Amino acid sequence: MTGAKLNVRALYKGTFIHTPVLGSLEVIEHGIVGVDHDGTIVILERNRSLEQVIEDFDLEEVETVDVDHGGNKFFFPGFIDTHIHAPQYPNNGIFGNSTLLDWLTTYTFPLEASLKDLTKAKLVYDKVIERTLGNGTTCASYYATIDTDATNLLADLSIEHGQRAFIGKVCMNQNSPDYYCETFEESKESTLKVIEHINKVDPHNKLVAPILTPRFAPSCTDELLHWLGNLKKEHGYHSQTHICENKDEIKWVHELYPDAEGYTDVYKDHNLLDEKTILAHAIHLTEHEKDMIRDTGAGVSHCPISNSSITSGECRVRWLLDNGIPVGLGTDVSGGFSPSILQTARQAVLVSRHLAMSTALEKDKLSVEDVLYLATQGGAKLVGLNDKIGSFELGKQWDVQLVDLDAKGSQVDVFEWQVPHIVEIETYKLKWSNVIAKWLFNGDDRNTTKVWVNGRLVKAL
Ligand code: GUN
Ligand code: FE
């Protein structure tokens, strides 16, 4: 060996499965990954023994995790939830027959406003972080509420639980109920205070980072959007918002912003679109809007469970991808009823089937490999961390889940003849892709037996 000695803390040995490119799985059998004290992947080897690697790299006091004993266990990159409302978690499953605008006033605003009570906020935020981590979500882009202290608490709890997170204090200063609305001054002050807090508790944003969060165009004045856009431009902050989710919402935006050509123009005109922007939903985009989004480099968070539940429509994911727009997945808790990105990916497959039935375009169908890419690599691009998370690569962080299809309580029954055996080389890849499909459609958090973020173990069953 040449060069400086590697500061390796742990070696993981087993099967590694990921989706480095859209539409295909890569299976690395008998792999060994070495992770340093910062949680960075510094060794990637295959077909070696732990002893050989320890000797070759002259490693000392290294922890070893060896799951390379056959069976149906594999390491998979942690999931990235690119759109989730932490305070809405208690409402998961509660949406009746509502659609977006009445859903907001009936179910959502009262719950969000009630989290001004920090005891209640802590109860909800602890639970949503535990639940998402338990489902393999190692990184989440959260909307909190308009409240400064409760939003700061969400940042503190993300650090405490060890989840990578973008924390957005929600901005809304018009068209909102009196009990849940800010003035322009309050929104500015609160946004700056939250950014200051996050940068104090995590100065290098190793785990949590701020994200500017105008709720959506109808709830923000021109003045507030303008201020947020300038702040983004000046500091290069990430931002997130909703776009073209529902037809009544779009009509409303046209009424509120009559000078803008379309909904997307409102954000563009206020400097709120760039490659660090996450746009949730983007279902009913015009060609012009799609081109504008592509040209700015902004990404789309596809939230299929929410889009079915509150009957918003079917996002044309293949159309976005074919046009060069990055796409990730979002649970959109609680427009979506599940905190699980695995379940969201499953529903992305089904929604794409419904879309294909109406377009009669075979290519609109998303594959298992496609949606797992969106859940990991796609999401990483949306949050601007594609050089850090989303796949197994030297230099990336160990944000990983260990999946065991034979775990206690597993709902995935893999029969003996379905188990991949390396000796049957010609069927090996096919068997793994079938096993992964069984995980996608039948698995749940009982199969995610361990989760790490930045190399730290944050869940162990
Ligand atoms: N549009 C504005 N606010 C929201 C929200 O909380 N959830 C969803 N799905 N859409 C929104
Ligand atoms: Fe949302």
Side-chain angles (χ1 to χ4, degrees):
M1 291 300 300
T2 55
K5 190 171 157 173
L6 294 173
N7 185 16
V8 176
R9 196 193 58 75
L11 288 175
Y12 301 91
K13 183 167 193 291
T15 303
F16 295 79
I17 301 181
H18 63 166
T19 51
V21 294
L22 179 68
S24 72
L25 283 177
E26 185 183 28
V27 180
I28 303 165
E29 60 274 15
H30 305 308
I32 293 183
V33 170
V35 176
D36 73 8
H37 287 266
D38 292 324
T40 308
I41 296 175
V42 290
I43 293 173
L44 243 176
E45 298 277 316
R46 56 168 43 169
N47 294 321
R48 313 283 307 283
S49 71
L50 281 166
E51 293 69 28
Q52 282 171 328
V53 171
I54 289 170
E55 195 183 315
D56 284 3
F57 289 90
D58 190 18
L59 306 180
E60 288 162 47
E61 290 183 43
V62 63
E63 179 200 352
T64 56
V65 178
D66 185 356
V67 297
D68 201 12
H69 311 299
N72 300 298
K73 262 189 186 179
F74 55 92
F75 295 102
F76 199 83
F79 291 135
I80 297 156
D81 187 342
T82 59
H83 183 79
I84 172 165
H85 300 263
Q88 297 176 17
Y89 181 62
N91 271 354
N92 266 11
I94 307 175
F95 53 93
N97 274 340
S98 61
T99 51
L100 178 64
L101 301 179
D102 60 314
W103 171 79
L104 283 172
T105 50
T106 309
Y107 300 98
T108 307
F109 292 151
L111 175 60
E112 285 193 18
S114 75
L115 265 69
K116 198 174 166 39
D117 171 350
L118 294 181
T119 310
K120 186 169 175 182
K122 178 160 184 345
L123 195 70
V124 172
Y125 290 162
D126 270 332
K127 186 52 98 177
V128 73
I129 296 168
E130 276 167 29
R131 192 60 81 192
T132 51
L133 269 179
N135 278 283
T137 298
T138 49
C139 176
S141 191
Y142 284 117
Y143 286 55
T145 63
I146 66 173
D147 190 71
T148 312
D149 294 339
T151 304
N152 289 344
L153 178 63
L154 179 60
D156 296 347
L157 294 174
S158 299
I159 293 175
E160 196 179 308
H161 288 271
Q163 187 174 51
R164 190 182 299 285
F166 289 82
I167 306 287
K169 168 247 154 7
V170 173
C171 295
M172 42 198 286
N173 72 333
Q174 69 169 1
N175 296 318
S176 306
D178 290 345
Y179 65 84
Y180 194 51
C181 191
E182 323 164 280
T183 63
F184 173 50
E185 290 302 326
E186 285 166 344
S187 195
K188 279 199 302 188
E189 190 187 330
S190 173
T191 296
L192 294 175
K193 275 192 173 160
V194 168
I195 293 171
E196 190 188 335
H197 178 80
I198 292 171
N199 290 338
K200 193 176 87 198
V201 293
D202 190 355
H204 300 290
N205 299 134
K206 281 195 165 177
L207 204 61
V208 296
I211 183 162
L212 303 180
T213 306
R215 180 170 211 119
F216 66 158
S219 55
C220 299
T221 58
D222 179 62
E223 188 182 34
L224 179 55
L225 290 180
H226 185 74
W227 181 80
L228 287 167
N230 280 347
L231 190 67
K232 179 177 173 69
K233 216 165 116 182
E234 193 179 328
H235 296 275
Y237 290 135
H238 293 261
S239 70
Q240 58 184 353
T241 191
H242 297 87
I243 198 166
C244 295
E245 179 177 6
N246 166 290
K247 290 189 177 157
D248 289 337
E249 170 209 20
I250 295 169
K251 206 167 136 238
W252 196 20
V253 172
H254 282 295
E255 287 160 17
L256 291 167
Y257 287 91
D259 296 337
E261 191 179 328
Y263 195 157
T264 307
D265 299 72
V266 175
Y267 295 137
K268 175 79 170 33
D269 294 347
H270 291 89
N271 289 322
L272 283 165
L273 289 186
D274 64 17
E275 58 291 332
K276 285 184 173 178
T277 303
I278 305 172
L279 298 169
H281 308 297
I283 300 169
H284 309 285
L285 297 177
T286 63
E287 290 283 336
H288 156 77
E289 289 181 297
K290 171 263 290 172
D291 291 341
M292 185 182 290
I293 291 173
R294 191 227 7 252
D295 292 346
T296 60
V300 167
S301 175
H302 173 42
C303 307
I305 302 186
S306 168
N307 298 162
S308 301
S309 300
I310 56 172
T311 45
S312 303
E314 292 143 357
C315 177
R316 291 161 289 168
V317 174
R318 184 74 67 198
W319 176 70
L320 295 173
L321 291 169
D322 283 352
N323 279 284
I325 295 173
V327 181
L329 294 180
T331 58
D332 194 23
V333 161
S334 66
F337 52 74
S338 169
S340 156
I341 284 291
L342 189 71
Q343 206 177 139
T344 301
R346 180 186 308 161
Q347 293 295 327
V349 172
L350 297 189
V351 166
S352 78
R353 268 32 181 194
H354 279 276
L355 179 67
M357 285 187 269
S358 57
T359 61
L361 291 175
E362 185 67 17
K363 71 170 189 172
D364 280 337
K365 292 186 186 177
L366 298 176
S367 66
V368 167
E369 293 80 4
D370 288 333
V371 298
L372 290 173
Y373 173 90
L374 300 182
T376 53
Q377 287 275 88
K381 173 102 176 95
L382 251 66
V383 297
L385 294 177
N386 45 322
D387 60 341
K388 272 198 146 176
I389 55 176
S391 64
F392 299 107
E393 260 178 68
L394 284 176
K396 284 198 171 183
Q397 293 303 105
W398 183 253
D399 280 27
V400 172
Q401 51 186 316
L402 176 62
V403 179
D404 182 0
L405 300 182
D406 305 321
K408 189 164 183 284
S410 174
Q411 301 295 295
V412 190
D413 294 314
V414 184
F415 289 85
E416 186 273 327
W417 65 87
Q418 296 180 308
V419 178
H421 294 291
I422 189 69
V423 282
E424 306 159 20
I425 211 77
E426 68 287 356
T427 57
Y428 185 74
K429 287 265 152 57
L430 175 66
K431 283 196 177 180
W432 264 119
S433 76
N434 287 341
V435 163
I436 291 288
K438 285 175 76 94
W439 172 51
L440 176 69
F441 290 109
N442 298 304
D444 60 33
D445 58 344
R446 287 170 286 198
N447 301 112
T448 294
T449 55
K450 286 190 169 61
V451 178
W452 296 262
V453 178
N454 269 346
R456 172 182 164 195
L457 184 67
V458 292
K459 173 190 180 178
L461 282 186

